[in-house]
Amino acid sequence: MSETTLGGIAGRMPKFIRRADPAVLTAFACIVLLLFLGSLYSRSFLSPEYLLQQLKVASFLGVIATGMMLVVLLGQIDLSVPWSVAAGAMMACAAAAYGPVGVALAIPFGIFCGVLIGIVNGIGVAYLRIPSMIITLATNAVAQGLMVVYTGGFSPQDSATRAMRYLATGFTIPGVPNAVIIWAVIGAAMVFVLTRTGFGRTVYGIGNRERAAYLSGIDTRRVVMIAFAVSGGLSAFGGVLLAGYASKAAQSMGDAYLLPSIAAVVLGGTSILGGRGSYLGTVAGVILITLLQSILSVMQMPEAGRQIIYGVVIVAMLLLYGRAPASR
Amino acid sequence: MKDWRYWLAEQRGTLLALGIFIVMFVIYTSNHPAGFTANVVQTAANKGVLLAFVAMAQTLVVITAGIDLSVGMIFLLTNCLASWLVVGTPMQTTLGVIAVLAVGLLCGAINGAIVIYGRLQPIVATIATGAVYYGIGLLLRPFPGGSVNEDLADALTGRVFDVVPASLVVLLAIVLVIWVPFSRSVLGRAAYAAGSSETAAYMSGVPIRRGKFAAYTLAGLLAAIGGLFLTFFTYTGDAAYASGNAYTLFSIAAVVLGGVSLFGGKGSAIGAIFGALAFRTIGDLLFVFDFDPLWQPLFQGVILLIAVSLGAFALFRVRNRLEWFL
């Protein structure tokens, strides 16, 4: 209903604005607002170096949020992000301890561990029909348990390989950090998959009504499982990049990525009920969250204040445009 | 069918949880070096009751087909608040307890208002409010510390007549004062109806919004009672992120073990209490069998995974494959 009234107002606007999702426009408007507020606070806020640095920090969240978005589009959620990130990072660093072969296979092995977690999630959700938030919480706990047993309760001593550090902090093209290039490549691949392939159309279809997708002859369960596996793999890859950025893996490194990744996807206009959303929105959400974090830390806001502002901003933005239709 | 068979069918989940708890507790005490003594029971009860309160809170929300991922954080927030307020003379202590419970009610009411009147998805809304509650808790207690009225704390965590753990008596009282009246009231019925089928309940004129709102609000209150008890056990307030997360997670495990359906409309808080006690006992089994404590997170995670996978057995009863997609 709201779309028809909005359509009436938007009818008088230029075509490219009319076609855009109001949520994505709101998110971009908030980014501009944050940049404006930041530039009032400090002159250096609009310098290219600072903005590029923010984009680099955003790319870690961007990679993780890409996987989250795929799952949210299905109408599911992946709460196993924290320990998928940590497991990816820790296993990649651990593999590096096993000679030159281990070093060469470190990154694929880290991603592989994330994919394994994702496959367990996928089997639970798609074939055992367990609600996704429950099974992903459970696999998160199991992954945590495995990592605690593996490390013996301490932070692992293994440090990141040179390749991991190069991926996260190096420059292949002068001036553009590698992490940003990686995010761009993964983002482009996701846009291609979502808009140009049958798999992508199926994801939207399942998000709208899985029953209808199933009756159209699609093996919906396989699609759901692949989506969860991809999400786990991307979380782990995000962890690998983070380990390269910090040059070592730590146990709780993923905790700070669960809420931001969900928030980035949802603030970007992807419906948490599934079936609606664009990758452009997720990009906007990721940049928005990263800028918000950056401004709060520049203002030297303590952790407590950051958590409160975070929660309030997410609830407020959702109340603006993420509400479910009224029941009548 | 006879009346008792209806009753049995209704209480199957609760009775199963009770059975699991009794079996686990017998294994636990019979292998405990001290055996079945009042001391062992008291320690086990004190640990179990904390989770039982949080699990009861989770049950109320799960019955309405929602989920509250902020219960652990309300638990932490009220713990931090109680370490400031529940001190001093008996009068001050009483006021402090009332204030802590009121804050719990308020947190629950905020969750309820956002989910029901704001029409947001419970998962995202309660993750976000959980971050806010955790932030406030951290503001109150940036470092572990504070104190509590130790007379009251010792009275509520000790033993009544030197036999029965006082915490169990309090738990029973809370069940009688909050859960029994709620589940028999119109609002409680509305909460069940909303979880079972919101559309049908709406069409029948059941006050689903008020019922759900009451469930979320009482969940906040129960989590606050849990937070109060945590303060009585530890004598301090501590805003530990990992601990809040763990309680949220364990509350879901307890609810599932207690036979409460995550799809809503089925189960009882009493089942969840036995689920919580059973979950705690299973977690502590490792200690009596002398395992390395490092294995405990993995062990609890695997139990959780198995508990939630048990729900999949319902798939065998599905006649039409379209019922897979609820």
Side-chain angles (χ1 to χ4, degrees):
Chain A
M1 206 197 71
S2 64
E3 273 174 25
T4 54
T5 52
L6 276 172
I9 303 162
R12 275 163 265 139
M13 294 180 184
K15 194 179 172 194
F16 73 98
I17 296 186
R18 219 183 322 156
R19 287 184 55 192
D21 188 345
V24 179
L25 290 181
T26 317
F28 274 111
C30 288
I31 292 175
V32 173
L33 184 71
L34 275 182
L35 283 175
F36 175 69
L37 289 177
S39 66
L40 290 184
Y41 193 82
S42 155
R43 282 266 117 218
S44 64
F45 216 83
L46 291 178
S47 69
E49 295 82 31
Y50 176 80
L51 291 180
L52 210 56
Q53 170 68 19
Q54 290 314 303
L55 210 53
K56 182 171 140 188
V57 174
S59 54
F60 305 124
L61 179 59
V63 170
I64 297 169
T66 306
M68 181 64 87
M69 181 193 175
L70 190 60
V71 169
V72 171
L73 277 178
L74 290 170
Q76 312 283 2
I77 199 158
D78 186 351
L79 300 181
S80 67
V81 161
W83 285 92
S84 300
V85 169
M90 289 164 75
M91 287 296 106
C93 291
Y98 293 96
V101 181
V103 171
L105 290 179
I107 297 173
F109 183 67
I111 298 173
F112 173 74
C113 291
V115 170
L116 277 188
I117 297 175
I119 286 178
V120 176
N121 287 334
I123 291 175
V125 174
Y127 293 95
L128 302 181
R129 310 309 302 181
I130 302 166
S132 57
M133 66 182 151
I134 310 299
I135 182 77
T136 53
L137 272 178
T139 50
N140 189 44
V142 172
Q144 175 182 10
L146 285 173
M147 290 301 120
V148 168
V149 169
Y150 162 70
T151 59
F154 303 103
S155 278
Q157 294 303 310
D158 309 76
S159 51
T161 63
R162 190 177 295 169
M164 286 158 70
R165 265 177 276 175
Y166 179 71
L167 277 187
T169 59
F171 292 88
T172 308
I173 305 169
V176 186
N178 277 345
V180 177
I181 299 176
I182 290 174
W183 182 26
V185 169
I186 289 179
M190 184 56 87
V191 169
F192 176 79
V193 167
L194 285 180
T195 58
R196 292 278 179 272
T197 64
F199 178 84
R201 301 318 303 168
T202 311
V203 167
Y204 281 97
I206 294 175
N208 273 305
R209 193 162 287 264
E210 186 167 3
R211 237 179 230 213
Y214 179 77
L215 285 178
S216 326
I218 298 162
D219 187 353
T220 60
R221 297 189 290 178
R222 205 187 61 195
V223 172
V224 170
M225 192 167 102
I226 293 173
F228 271 95
V230 170
S231 172
L234 283 175
S235 293
F237 187 48
V240 169
L241 290 177
L242 276 172
Y245 184 58
S247 70
K248 73 184 196 52
Q251 282 215 355
S252 56
M253 62 193 292
D255 286 354
Y257 282 87
L258 175 62
L259 184 57
S261 65
I262 297 174
V265 170
V266 173
L267 291 184
T270 301
S271 164
I272 194 77
L273 298 170
R276 268 183 42 218
S278 67
Y279 192 75
L280 187 64
T282 303
V283 173
V286 168
I287 295 174
L288 181 57
I289 295 279
T290 311
L291 275 181
L292 185 65
Q293 279 176 336
S294 163
I295 288 181
L296 291 178
S297 66
V298 166
M299 290 168 68
Q300 298 185 335
M301 176 73 67
E303 173 68 14
R306 264 188 253 183
Q307 291 277 348
I308 296 174
I309 291 175
Y310 237 44
V312 169
V313 165
I314 291 166
V315 169
M317 303 257 317
L318 284 178
L319 285 176
L320 275 180
Y321 55 75
R323 302 177 72 189
S327 61
R328 62 202 64 213
Chain B
M1 278 205 296
K2 300 255 170 44
D3 277 355
W4 65 268
R5 289 183 64 183
Y6 276 118
W7 183 85
L8 202 67
E10 193 189 337
Q11 307 293 332
R12 204 178 52 195
T14 306
L15 293 176
L16 194 66
L18 176 64
I20 297 174
F21 166 63
I22 290 175
V23 170
M24 290 301 156
F25 199 69
V26 166
I27 298 177
Y28 176 72
T29 46
S30 58
N31 287 286
H32 198 284
F36 185 76
T37 62
N39 257 331
V40 172
V41 175
Q42 182 193 349
T43 316
N46 283 354
K47 279 177 82 175
V49 160
L50 284 182
L51 185 58
F53 281 126
V54 183
M56 272 175 86
Q58 188 69 267
T59 310
L60 286 174
V61 177
V62 167
I63 279 175
T64 69
I67 192 142
D68 188 348
L69 296 181
S70 71
V71 277
M73 296 308 174
I74 299 178
F75 175 77
L76 277 192
L77 167 60
T78 47
N79 167 232
C80 294
L81 193 65
S83 70
W84 282 107
L85 295 181
V86 186
V87 285
T89 61
M91 190 62 197
Q92 288 170 327
T93 305
T94 316
L95 285 177
V97 169
I98 292 172
V100 169
L101 296 183
V103 167
L105 267 179
L106 182 68
C107 290
I110 291 173
N111 281 342
I114 292 175
V115 169
I116 296 150
Y117 300 102
R119 301 202 301 267
L120 295 190
Q121 281 296 300
I123 314 171
V124 184
T126 54
I127 288 184
T129 55
V132 175
Y133 301 150
Y134 170 69
I136 298 174
L138 201 58
L139 273 186
L140 288 170
R141 283 272 167 237
F143 306 102
S147 58
V148 71
N149 185 331
E150 295 191 6
D151 295 333
L152 179 66
D154 292 344
L156 288 180
T157 58
R159 289 195 292 260
V160 178
F161 305 124
D162 219 24
V163 191
V164 187
S167 51
L168 283 186
V169 177
V170 176
L171 181 63
L172 184 68
I174 298 293
V175 168
L176 290 178
V177 171
I178 295 180
W179 169 251
V180 173
F182 175 76
S183 61
R184 287 163 186 240
S185 68
V186 176
L187 289 181
R189 217 163 276 278
Y192 272 102
S196 179
S197 168
E198 183 150 347
T199 325
Y202 179 78
M203 295 296 187
S204 322
V206 176
I208 46 174
R209 286 180 159 194
R210 267 186 292 145
K212 281 166 82 171
F213 187 71
Y216 276 91
T217 311
L218 285 179
L221 177 67
L222 286 168
I225 296 173
L228 210 51
F229 257 79
L230 179 63
T231 326
F232 291 152
F233 295 138
T234 59
Y235 293 164
T236 55
D238 179 12
Y241 187 77
S243 151
N245 261 349
Y247 269 95
T248 305
L249 185 64
F250 293 166
S251 74
I252 295 172
V255 160
V256 174
L257 274 178
V260 181
S261 165
L262 289 168
F263 296 105
K266 234 169 95 182
S268 90
I270 297 167
I273 289 173
F274 289 124
L277 297 178
F279 186 79
R280 268 284 185 249
T281 317
I282 296 171
D284 285 348
L285 276 183
L286 283 184
F287 293 123
V288 296
F289 286 115
D290 270 342
F291 270 98
D292 195 328
L294 275 181
W295 288 83
Q296 200 187 20
L298 180 61
F299 190 63
Q300 282 177 330
V302 169
I303 293 169
L304 181 63
L305 195 61
I306 294 172
V308 299
S309 304
L310 288 181
F313 278 112
L315 288 182
F316 290 121
R317 270 177 288 167
V318 167
R319 299 256 168 79
N320 181 339
R321 273 194 257 169
L322 281 181
E323 286 177 25
W324 285 340
F325 315 114
L326 278 172

